[in-house]
Every structure is written in C-alpha cells, then in structure tokens.
Amino acid sequence: MAEIYYSGCKIEYVIKAAGAEITACEDSKGRIVLPEEAEGRPVVSLGRYALANIRSAREIILPRSLETVNSLAFYNDRGLKRLDLPEKVYRIGGDAFKNCDGIGEVVIRSERLLRYILDELSQELIVIFKDTEDNIIWKLLFPVSAESFSEDVPGRTFHRTFTGPGYTYRRETAGNSVSFKRYDSLFKRSFEEEAAEDLCLLAVCRLIYPYKLEKNAEEVYREYLRENAYTAVKSFIEKGLFDEILYLTEKGLIPQEAAEKASDFARERGDAQTLSRLMDYRLKSFKPKTKTFEL
C-alpha cells in the first residue's frame, strides 16, 4: 500500500498487473480530482470502498484511464451530486453507488452502463450520453422509482415492489440501448403521476437534444411546455437552469401571461440574467398593452 497527495487530497493505492488501483481517499470540500497515474502506471480501477463515506465533495473527477469500478466504491457518498464516467469504464461492481442518494446527474459514454446506473440509483436522475469528442448526444430525465417492501409473515420473506412512472421509464426504455420511441410514448401516461415541474424538465431535455425524436412526440412536448410555461420557468429559475429558459424563449414557448408572471418571479428572486432575457423576449414577442382611460 502506498500513498500520494494529489490536488490537495491524500490518496492510497496499490500497483497491480494492469495498473494502479485506488484503495482509499480522504474527504475534501467541493470536489475531488483523482490522478491519471501513480508510479508511472495508469489508474485503471477503484477498489472496494475506495471512495466511501465522502460527505463533503459534490463532484469527484475520475481519471480518463479508469476501466473498473469495484463494488461499494462510492458507498455512502451522500454529498455527491454529479458523476462523469470516463469512456474506458466497462465494468461496475454491485452496489458501487449504495446510499449515494444525492446524485442527480450522471454522464456516460457507453449505453451499456445505463441499465446498471438506473438499477443502482432510484432517485430522479438526469443521464447525459456523450460521444468520444465530449459532445452531448442525448440527455434524458428518469423520474424517481418508488420502492417498497412487504412481508410474507408465514414464509418469513420480503417482497420488493416498484411502482410509479419512474420504474416504467427504467424498465421499459433502457437496456443495452435506449428505446427512444418507447421513452417518448410514456410521457402522456405520466401526467397524473408526476409533478408538472419534473415533466417540464423531462420535456425540455428531449427538445434541446432531440436524438431520435419523432415529430409527433416533439409536438406533444412543445404543447405541454406551452400549457405549463410559468411552472417550467419558475422551476428552472429555482434550479438555476438558464439554458433551459433560453430554449423556451428562443422557441417562443412562453405565452404572454406566463412571461409576465415569470418576470415578476425572476425579479423577486433577484435573478437579473433571467429577468433581462424575459424582458427582451416580451418586448420582441408581444405588443405592449394599450392603456385606456375613462373620462
């Protein structure tokens, strides 16, 4: 066992035949950057519990040389918000992300990892697929998958049950590759089960990155955003999603009344960037109201 200090963190590792394996890493505020190599050997794997119980770091930058993530590698990293899996990763061990319920976004570069990610992380999750040149190909939101256990008392066994559209989105659309047609077809079925804020984000993700998006599904997403424009903009302001607001204004998907309400909300929140964009949008899109006076 050896150790190095890299980017302000103490990192422990061992050298194996294929390369270096990280075995432990101390917690660090903000984010952790792991080294590409140790003793001149590429870092190719994360050992069991290698990055476990890291509570402060919101993001961990993994080495591009990484190939294997062993079981429980990220165990109990409740502060982790985002994860970017390098292109060479081909194997992820069981429960690698156990208790990582704070992760809201995962970047992958191989669709074969999608099924595992969705099985491991049941919370609402945005998955981004990038090509080898780091361009975003598609971006999908998977709703939370509700999970419950029931006990068979005589048999002393427990039955695990999944419910809600999140489970359906995971099971029916994601395998070794994504069934985009099936994914888009589930949208209308989710109206009564999912919050409007979540559906707005799901819709805008598909529209901004319309990979294999058919025309009829595109119009369904657009119409939903038009009808729920204020809810969408308000939610995006709260989440700091300016690009999504920019898309709505560029495509003219915010009716006048919703734009006025959204401007008031942006002003209340002190969001000058969004307020400026909405004011410009209103000026270009709608005729100013004519004031009338009775004598």
Side-chain angles (χ1 to χ4, degrees), residues 70-113:
N70 285 297
S71 60
L72 300 166
F74 293 87
Y75 174 70
N76 220 29
D77 290 355
R78 296 188 182 275
L80 195 59
K81 302 298 181 186
R82 186 178 188 274
L83 191 65
D84 189 330
L85 294 172
E87 180 185 354
K88 292 183 179 180
V89 174
Y90 69 92
R91 188 172 73 82
I92 300 177
D95 291 329
F97 306 107
K98 185 76 171 179
N99 290 346
C100 293
D101 48 19
I103 295 178
E105 184 175 289
V106 176
V107 178
I108 61 174
R109 292 168 176 80
S110 171
E111 287 192 4
R112 68 176 179 269
L113 299 179

Side-chain angles (χ1 to χ4, degrees), residues 168-185:
T168 305
Y169 270 97
R170 284 164 160 77
R171 286 295 165 186
E172 296 189 18
T173 70
N176 291 328
S177 60
V178 180
S179 173
F180 291 94
K181 186 172 183 178
R182 181 60 179 157
Y183 180 94
D184 295 328
S185 72

Side-chain angles (χ1 to χ4, degrees), residues 111-148:
E111 287 192 4
R112 68 176 179 269
L113 299 179
L114 180 61
R115 166 57 61 197
Y116 181 83
I117 294 297
L118 295 179
D119 285 346
E120 283 287 302
L121 301 171
S122 61
Q123 64 265 33
E124 180 179 286
L125 190 69
I126 289 179
V127 180
I128 298 172
F129 180 75
K130 291 186 175 182
D131 63 15
T132 55
E133 296 180 354
D134 224 31
N135 300 307
I136 296 177
I137 304 301
W138 52 256
K139 181 177 181 179
L140 301 178
L141 182 143
F142 290 89
V144 61
S145 178
E147 179 180 352
S148 61

Side-chain angles (χ1 to χ4, degrees), residues 193-245:
E193 298 179 87
E194 281 296 305
E197 293 86 351
D198 298 332
L199 291 174
C200 288
L201 182 55
L202 187 154
V204 82
C205 285
R206 280 300 278 141
L207 291 171
I208 292 176
Y209 301 100
Y211 185 70
K212 294 186 178 180
L213 178 62
E214 297 183 357
K215 192 66 178 179
N216 60 334
E218 177 183 356
E219 189 50 44
V220 169
Y221 287 132
R222 284 176 176 267
E223 187 58 31
Y224 187 85
L225 287 170
R226 289 190 194 99
E227 294 176 355
N228 297 273
Y230 173 64
T231 297
V233 178
K234 180 175 180 291
S235 175
F236 298 160
I237 290 173
E238 291 172 337
K239 296 176 180 178
L241 302 176
F242 181 73
D243 287 345
E244 284 74 5
I245 296 170

